[in-house]
Amino acid sequence: MTARFDAIGLVVSDMAASVAFYRRIGFAFPDGAEIQPHAEAELPGGLRLMLDTEETVRSFLPGWQPPVGGGRTSLALRCDGPEEVDALYDELVGSGYEGELKPFDAFWGQRYAVVDDPDGNGVDLFAPLAAAAE
């Protein structure tokens, strides 16, 4: 028997807000997902992003409480180029999402930025810098 990586799960406080955020950055949640207690989007390569409401988690783990302080989870999205990192960051922040880290040229050879989802999970936006991509 071999376990295999299949899905990433996030607990969300507002399903509609979370589905709207992830749809905006390209995740294909089905119609009606925003009103469900559990929602899934298929990812390239067969993985899934799963969202569960806090109430859903408490239905099987009654004492569960959301973490406090800084997040420990982030999703990393590779953009087609450095200019897309800037454009997507500007679009999301301009739409009211929290920008955690403005785009910059990182010493490890990427254009890199972080935007928080509605629950404060970091969503890393990155692309190889032109010199690093050659």
Side-chain angles (χ1 to χ4, degrees):
M1 180 165 54
T2 302
R4 61 184 171 84
F5 187 48
D6 184 68
I8 299 161
L10 298 176
V11 180
V12 302
S13 59
D14 182 333
M15 183 65 80
S18 294
V19 167
F21 174 83
Y22 285 103
R23 279 181 177 154
R24 184 173 211 129
I25 58 175
F27 290 77
F29 281 94
D31 290 341
E34 58 280 343
I35 61 170
Q36 299 300 317
H38 173 88
E40 297 184 10
E42 291 281 332
L43 305 175
L47 292 176
R48 297 170 292 144
L49 176 62
M50 303 183 308
L51 305 178
D52 288 292
T53 63
E54 293 173 354
E55 295 79 18
T56 299
V57 173
R58 285 192 195 102
S59 75
F60 58 84
L61 191 59
W64 183 86
Q65 292 295 318
V68 289
R72 294 180 179 235
T73 303
S74 67
L75 301 177
L77 303 180
R78 182 181 182 134
C79 297
D80 288 335
E83 63 286 341
E84 186 181 354
V85 172
D86 293 9
L88 185 52
Y89 179 91
D90 290 344
E91 176 191 331
L92 293 169
V93 171
S95 296
Y97 297 105
E98 184 71 27
E100 184 176 322
L101 183 61
K102 291 181 180 181
F104 73 102
D105 292 343
F107 67 87
W108 57 85
Q110 294 175 338
R111 186 72 173 164
Y112 188 83
V114 181
V115 176
D116 291 340
D117 78 1
D119 290 290
N121 296 304
V123 177
D124 304 354
L125 309 173
F126 73 93
L129 292 170
E134 294 173 359

